[in-house]
């Protein structure tokens, strides 16, 4: 080992006597050292940025799921209030009285600022028409159902609860609320932008007015009710096309020049995928976390590069 070190010292000593060769060697080694350092730093900062984006995506999704759970708890409280209403409990077979009670509930909810929530009742005794699949499922299983459903006015959050008397289901209460209410809840943060993309196959569930006039094709197989969402984000998704949608699905997030985006696949109460919720934040702005991450990685790279150059110069 000692002889190797001695030989190395002799090599550098002889090399220094040949000044042209010495400086050429020094320059080449410096360039190689800086290049390797830059490569390692670039990979490190890219990895850090990716980890931050993954964590932020999880934060967005968790916040969305919390808001959805809040909706479920809110609907449960409404059902509880209805169940304790003696007039409702004692007249489940009287359609006129039940309709009147629910009309008053809907009116009161509207006056309290919950105008998008609507209650309805599917009576078994007074059933005339065939009920939709999810109502029949709730009746047969005697369990509640909560989730999303595409109805005539668009995607809704729905909660169906069976009314059981003496172990038999006598009817099902349905609470529905347009997905725009979820958008409003999410966008209260002022930084998050909410967008729902509806799958083409669900268009038949919409009313003719919505189907024919208001829904725009954004990406192959995906449509949006453009008037209700941020036009800039809609345009950006359209410009990104199928490639960006694919990248979004593969990575769970996407960052382009304008937006950071993450998404959640939406499955309805029947187990069918009906579309995607996209949540986005603008890249521009000093408070945007994408800018903060970008500035952080640039600062780390510059400082580290300065240290590398200083060490290389000191060594030689």
């Amino acid at each position: 080992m000692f002889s190797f070190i001695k030989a190395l010292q002799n090599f550098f000593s002889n090399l220094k006597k040949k000044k042209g060769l010495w400086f050429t060697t020094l320059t080449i080694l410096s360039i190689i050292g800086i290049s390797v350092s830059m490569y390692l730093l670039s990979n490190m900062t890219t990895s850090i940025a990716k980890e931050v984006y993954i964590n932020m995506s999880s934060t967005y999704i968790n916040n969305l799921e919390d808001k959805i759970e809040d909706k479920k708890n809110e609907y449960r409280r409404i059902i509880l209030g209805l169940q304790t209403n003696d007039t409702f409990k004692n007249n489940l077979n009287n359609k006129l009285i039940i309709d009147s009670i629910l009309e008053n509930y809907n009116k009161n909810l509207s006056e309290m600022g919950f105008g998008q929530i609507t209650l309805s009742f599917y009576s078994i005794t007074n059933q005339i028409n065939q009920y939709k699949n999810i109502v029949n499922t709730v009746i047969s299983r005697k369990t509640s159902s909560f989730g999303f459903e595409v109805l005539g006015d668009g995607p809704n959050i729905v909660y169906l609860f069976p009314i059981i008397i003496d172990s038999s289901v006598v009817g099902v209460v349905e609470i529905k609320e347009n997905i725009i209410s979820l958008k409003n809840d999410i966008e209260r943060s002022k930084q998050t932008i909410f967008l729902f993309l509806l799958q083409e196959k669900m268009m038949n569930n919409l009313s003719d007015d919505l189907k024919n006039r208001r829904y725009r094709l954004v990406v192959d197989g995906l449509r949006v009710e453009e008037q209700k969402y941020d036009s800039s984000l809609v345009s950006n998704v359209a410009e990104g096309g199928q490639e960006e949608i694919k990248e979004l699905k593969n990575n769970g997030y996407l960052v382009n020049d304008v937006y950071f985006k993450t998404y959640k696949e939406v499955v309805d109460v029947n187990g069918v995928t009906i579309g995607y919720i996209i949540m986005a934040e603008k890249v521009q702005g000093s408070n945007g976390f994408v800018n903060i991450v970008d500035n952080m990685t640039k600062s780390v790279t510059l400082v580290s590069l300065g240290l590398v150059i200083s060490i290389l110069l000191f060594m030689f």
Side-chain angles (χ1 to χ4, degrees):
M1 184 68 182
F2 178 78
S3 59
F4 173 75
I5 295 173
K6 187 67 175 175
L8 198 61
Q9 286 177 337
N10 290 334
F11 172 76
F12 280 115
S13 178
N14 292 329
L15 192 61
K16 286 182 179 180
K17 293 176 183 178
K18 303 175 182 179
K19 295 188 180 294
L21 182 59
W22 166 250
F23 284 111
T24 301
T25 304
L26 177 63
T27 301
I28 292 172
L29 289 175
S30 298
I31 291 171
I32 292 173
I34 292 171
S35 298
V36 171
S37 300
M38 284 297 294
Y39 173 77
L40 294 174
L41 285 170
S42 176
N43 282 353
M44 181 186 71
T45 52
T46 299
S47 178
I48 292 172
K50 182 178 179 180
E51 195 65 33
V52 172
Y53 293 144
I54 291 172
N55 289 336
M56 284 304 300
S57 178
S58 296
T59 299
Y60 272 92
I61 297 301
N62 289 338
N63 181 51
L64 173 64
E65 290 176 347
D66 287 344
K67 297 293 185 186
I68 294 172
E69 188 64 23
D70 288 343
K71 292 286 185 187
K72 186 176 183 179
N73 292 331
E74 182 182 331
Y75 302 158
R76 280 175 172 168
R77 288 192 292 270
I78 294 173
I79 293 291
L80 182 61
L82 194 60
Q83 284 181 299
T84 57
N85 185 314
D86 290 335
T87 307
F88 176 79
K89 289 191 298 182
N90 297 331
N91 293 277
L92 290 169
N93 294 327
N94 191 320
K95 186 177 185 305
L96 291 176
I97 293 177
I98 294 299
D99 286 348
S100 177
I101 291 171
L102 295 184
E103 184 180 343
N104 286 331
Y105 261 79
N106 292 333
K107 181 180 179 182
N108 290 335
L109 286 169
S110 179
E111 290 174 352
M112 290 188 295
F114 300 98
Q116 295 190 40
I117 296 179
T118 304
L119 279 74
S120 55
F121 184 69
Y122 296 89
S123 172
I124 292 180
T125 305
N126 299 314
Q127 182 177 358
I128 299 174
N129 301 317
Q130 177 68 27
Y131 292 149
K132 57 188 179 181
N133 290 338
I134 187 58
V135 174
N136 293 327
T137 299
V138 170
I139 292 171
S140 63
R141 294 180 180 176
K142 298 182 180 180
T143 57
S144 61
S145 179
F146 172 81
F148 294 86
E149 187 177 14
V150 180
L151 302 172
D153 63 340
N156 278 255
I157 307 169
V158 297
Y159 184 59
L160 296 101
F161 187 88
I163 303 299
I164 302 174
I165 304 293
D166 297 329
S167 301
S168 296
V169 178
V170 297
V172 175
V173 177
E174 178 187 63
I175 298 177
K176 66 176 184 176
E177 186 175 20
N178 196 281
I179 200 171
I180 292 300
S181 66
L182 183 60
K183 170 185 180 291
N184 295 338
D185 289 345
I186 293 293
E187 291 186 347
R188 285 197 180 99
S189 69
K190 303 299 182 184
Q191 287 187 314
T192 309
I193 308 171
F194 180 102
L195 174 65
F196 184 83
L197 300 179
L198 181 69
Q199 287 207 337
E200 184 87 35
K201 65 184 180 183
M202 304 307 298
M203 290 293 289
N204 288 335
N205 293 38
L206 302 176
S207 67
D208 290 338
D209 181 54
L210 281 181
K211 191 189 317 181
N212 299 329
R213 299 181 183 180
R214 302 188 192 177
Y215 270 79
R216 165 192 169 187
L217 183 65
V218 179
V219 182
D220 289 347
L222 296 172
R223 290 180 174 269
V224 65
E225 190 177 0
E226 191 172 15
Q227 295 175 345
K228 292 186 176 180
Y229 297 97
D230 185 276
S231 58
S232 177
L233 178 58
V234 171
S235 297
N236 188 264
V237 171
E239 288 169 9
Q242 199 65 48
E243 285 301 313
E244 282 203 357
I245 294 293
K246 184 178 179 181
E247 184 179 343
L248 190 59
K249 289 181 181 179
N250 289 339
N251 298 332
Y253 72 90
L254 183 145
V255 183
N256 60 26
D257 294 338
V258 187
Y259 292 101
F260 166 84
K261 303 172 194 167
T262 187
Y263 89 107
K264 178 180 175 63
E265 183 178 271
V266 179
V267 178
D268 72 3
V269 287
N270 297 305
V272 178
T273 299
I274 61 172
Y276 304 95
I277 290 173
I278 292 179
M279 290 171 290
E281 180 178 327
K282 286 187 176 181
V283 171
Q284 297 300 320
S286 58
N287 294 326
F289 86 90
V290 175
N291 259 356
I292 293 172
V293 172
D294 188 46
N295 291 334
M296 178 191 71
T297 54
K298 286 178 181 176
S299 298
V300 170
T301 302
L302 289 173
V303 171
S304 301
L305 179 60
L307 287 172
V308 169
I309 293 172
S310 299
I311 291 169
L312 286 171
L313 291 175
F314 177 76
M315 287 175 63
F316 294 101

